[in-house]
Amino acid sequence: MSDYLSTLLGWLIFAIHTSLVIGVTFRVVMKRRPVGVSLAWLALIYAIPILGVATYILLGEVRLGRKRGDRAKAMYRPYADWINVLVARFPGQKFDVSEPARPIYELVKARLNMPMLSGNGMTLLQQPDDILTALQDDIRAARSSCYLEFYIWYAGGRADDIAFELMAAARRGVDCRVLLDSVGSADFFRSHWPSRLRDAGVKVIEVLPVGAFRILFERQDLRMHRKLVVIDDDVAYTGSMNLVDPTCFKQHAGVGQWVDIMLRIRGPIVPIFWSLFVWDWEMETGERLLEQLEYHPISCLDNQLKLQLLPSGPFMGGDAIQQSLLTAIYQARRRLVLITPYFVPDDPLVAALCSAADRGVEVQLVLPAKNDSRMVNYACNAFFDELLQAGVEIHLYGAGLLHTKCVLVDHQFALVGTVNLDKRSLWLNFEMTLLIDDGQAMGELLQLADGYLSDARPVSWLVWRKRPLRQRVLENLFYLLSPLL
């Protein structure tokens, strides 16, 4: 009898396992996504069936959670209408978008309803002390609101000064709100700081929280990767730097201090930044702040700096950020500079870079010589052969972990923000990018890029081809997994 039960149990387990594999295979086939991603999932499912099926169930599809997803869908029309009404109130917005930037502008306007606005002022901040000092000064001067959103807040050093300024601002009646990613800021949420901030009146929200129970309802690796500050609806910040003091952050990772930039912005674009923060706040909490802004636009800035905000995420504009990036590369005529800490591109991006180099564009890819993810580093290196052979220059920055993220096209326009050149940033993370359509600002950004290049060493294709076999094997292994990283 026991043999019969054992046989029956074995057949039952086999039937359940087979049904799961077939069912998940059907899900993979029916989801329209890049072929390489689908094939990578199928390979994993059939090579390691139990682990592959479990991994797909956990990470294979974008699931924000029912409440959060429903809110995101219901919020789109009210926010789009609000932005249209706001922009109609701005004076002096008769201007021409430059021809090189126009295709991206039109794409973002159509997909995301985001306007381009002129009359802005922008300061490029390159040093951590300058960034933290400016932020601290603006919070200290705040009269009505301080809204901050970061992937990482890491306690220690001058980052604590920001916390003290926020608490002081909240005590004098300023509306202070903070959105922090659950995974990126995990150490911060385990510290005493959240309770101290809340006790002082600062509203602190953990975005996209993770947990064993949530696995059943939400994909756990979707991340809020934005870096966004709006103060008094008057000053905004974005860029690549998290709320950390680089002299304290990841000092034992062996990569040196992180190298970042932030943009301090004033002008008509600031309320658009504000709307992105309150969008994220409502999506996470359900609390609507949209109608609270009483902004009376004035022409206080004489310059004509044109800016357009490009927010992106799993349910925001689909592939708008990827298409904008590809469009920028194809618009290049003379020089194209791409700076990113993590480079795990998809096939269209590799093809675009090779095409630019083939048509005579000077394509310079600037990456950190070391980064904090060994898997990503191997996957990144797997693309070097093809790019170097096509004539793409690859430069490895050695004066720290270069964390700046920007794409500079000729002397015409730039994309600057939080987006890495990898599939996670393009498809899974909530990100933000700023389209900068201004020759004067481009001069400053190109000077920044040249400074990075002076601290980087070029990769020679002839030397690169002589790397050890073990390294090539690891690169090719992680190349196969690159659609899933």
Side-chain angles (χ1 to χ4, degrees):
M1 188 67 177
S2 60
D3 291 341
Y4 171 76
L5 290 176
S6 297
T7 302
L8 182 61
L9 181 61
W11 277 106
L12 181 61
I13 293 172
F14 174 77
I16 293 174
H17 172 257
T18 302
S19 299
L20 282 173
V21 170
I22 293 173
V24 172
T25 299
F26 182 75
R27 292 284 298 182
V28 173
V29 170
M30 294 305 294
K31 286 286 182 181
R32 294 297 298 270
R33 59 183 130 200
V35 174
V37 175
S38 296
L39 291 177
W41 276 118
L42 291 174
L44 183 63
I45 289 165
Y46 283 95
I48 319 173
I50 296 175
L51 179 61
V53 168
T55 303
Y56 184 83
I57 292 172
L58 294 177
L59 305 176
E61 298 179 11
V62 176
R63 293 173 295 141
L64 269 176
R66 184 180 59 81
K67 287 184 179 180
R68 197 181 287 112
D70 290 346
R71 283 187 201 129
K73 293 174 184 177
M75 287 158 49
Y76 177 79
R77 180 44 53 193
Y79 275 78
D81 292 343
W82 183 88
I83 288 174
N84 290 337
V85 170
L86 179 74
V87 172
R89 296 168 56 196
F90 282 111
Q93 289 300 321
K94 300 292 185 181
F95 60 87
D96 293 323
V97 181
S98 70
E99 286 304 314
R102 179 170 292 278
I104 299 177
Y105 159 73
E106 298 286 1
L107 173 67
V108 174
K109 186 72 172 66
R111 294 279 183 89
L112 302 171
N113 194 52
M114 283 291 173
M116 178 174 280
L117 294 168
S118 181
N120 300 287
M122 185 181 79
T123 303
L124 173 62
L125 301 171
Q126 305 178 35
Q127 300 300 323
D129 280 345
D130 294 340
I131 294 169
L132 293 169
T133 297
L135 184 56
Q136 189 174 354
D137 289 344
D138 283 330
I139 295 173
R140 185 180 298 125
R143 302 178 307 278
S144 59
S145 63
C146 293
Y147 295 167
L148 289 76
E149 182 172 4
F150 285 94
Y151 175 61
I152 299 173
W153 186 336
Y154 187 83
R158 293 204 57 193
D160 293 351
D161 295 338
I162 303 301
F164 287 121
E165 288 296 346
L166 277 175
M167 291 189 291
R171 291 189 182 107
R172 65 175 184 267
V174 176
D175 180 22
C176 296
R177 299 172 188 259
V178 179
L179 289 170
L180 299 174
D181 183 78
S182 176
V183 172
S185 299
D187 289 340
F188 184 82
F189 282 112
R190 286 192 290 263
S191 74
H192 63 88
W193 279 111
S195 60
R196 289 189 65 180
L197 288 163
R198 289 170 180 141
D199 289 344
V202 180
K203 301 177 181 69
V204 182
I205 296 296
E206 184 177 358
V207 184
L208 299 172
V210 297
F213 180 71
R214 294 178 181 272
I215 289 175
L216 301 175
F217 307 101
E218 303 169 9
R219 179 165 172 170
Q220 297 291 280
D221 67 333
L222 301 179
R223 304 275 45 94
M224 182 61 74
H225 198 243
R226 308 201 219 272
K227 290 86 178 167
L228 169 64
V229 177
V230 185
I231 298 173
D232 284 348
D233 317 318
D234 180 60
V235 179
Y237 290 78
T238 191
S240 63
M241 185 169 163
N242 289 291
L243 193 45
V244 304
D245 183 337
T247 62
C248 304
F249 182 61
K250 290 194 174 183
Q251 288 300 292
H252 303 294
V255 295
Q257 287 193 17
W258 290 41
V259 178
D260 283 291
I261 63 168
M262 290 293 273
L263 304 176
R264 183 182 185 271
I265 298 163
R266 297 190 65 226
I269 198 70
V270 173
I272 308 300
F273 278 74
W274 181 91
S275 72
L276 181 58
F277 177 91
V278 299
W279 168 287
D280 291 338
W281 185 273
E282 181 175 348
M283 185 178 67
E284 192 62 37
T285 68
E287 180 186 5
R288 176 156 296 185
L289 305 175
L290 188 62
E291 288 80 14
Q292 294 187 13
L293 180 66
E294 296 181 4
Y295 188 81
H296 303 286
I298 57 175
S299 241
C300 60
L301 299 170
D302 295 329
N303 61 61
Q304 296 301 308
L305 175 63
K306 300 186 290 290
L307 301 174
Q308 184 180 34
L309 182 61
L310 199 175
S312 57
F315 289 127
M316 193 176 289
D319 60 351
I321 183 61
Q322 188 219 28
Q323 292 300 314
S324 297
L325 178 60
L326 293 175
T327 301
I329 294 171
Y330 282 114
Q331 288 293 103
R333 294 295 177 266
R334 297 182 301 279
R335 185 185 182 193
L336 176 66
V337 184
L338 305 98
I339 303 169
T340 182
Y342 308 109
F343 181 73
V344 188
D346 55 12
D347 290 338
L349 179 54
V350 173
L353 292 174
C354 292
S355 173
D358 286 339
R359 64 176 186 270
V361 177
E362 181 184 17
V363 182
Q364 296 173 308
L365 178 62
V366 189
L367 308 171
K370 297 179 181 179
N371 67 39
D372 57 335
S373 173
R374 183 168 294 183
M375 288 193 304
V376 170
N377 194 56
Y378 280 122
C380 168
N381 292 348
F383 295 92
F384 282 13
D385 269 332
E386 184 177 357
L387 293 169
L388 290 169
Q389 190 171 5
V392 174
E393 299 177 20
I394 299 176
H395 300 262
L396 300 181
Y397 180 86
L401 195 156
L402 182 59
H403 196 240
T404 302
K405 309 132 192 303
C406 63
V407 176
L408 312 179
V409 181
D410 298 329
H411 205 288
Q412 298 289 337
F413 69 90
L415 295 170
V416 181
T418 69
V419 176
N420 297 310
L421 298 184
D422 62 9
K423 298 176 181 67
R424 175 160 298 282
S425 275
L426 296 178
W427 299 104
L428 295 179
N429 291 345
F430 289 89
E431 306 275 7
M432 60 188 297
T433 302
L434 198 61
L435 172 59
I436 303 172
D437 184 19
D438 182 86
Q440 183 175 345
M442 278 299 298
E444 194 172 3
L445 289 168
L446 286 168
Q447 187 176 11
L448 172 76
D450 288 336
Y452 290 155
L453 285 165
S454 68
D455 287 325
R457 61 175 177 84
V459 178
S460 164
W461 184 44
L462 294 177
V463 174
W464 181 254
R465 294 181 65 189
K466 298 177 182 178
R467 66 197 185 282
L469 177 62
R470 175 181 174 275
Q471 184 175 339
R472 292 173 182 245
V473 171
L474 288 171
E475 290 168 0
N476 287 326
L477 173 64
F478 287 107
Y479 171 80
L480 293 176
L481 296 175
S482 65
L484 310 181
L485 293 177

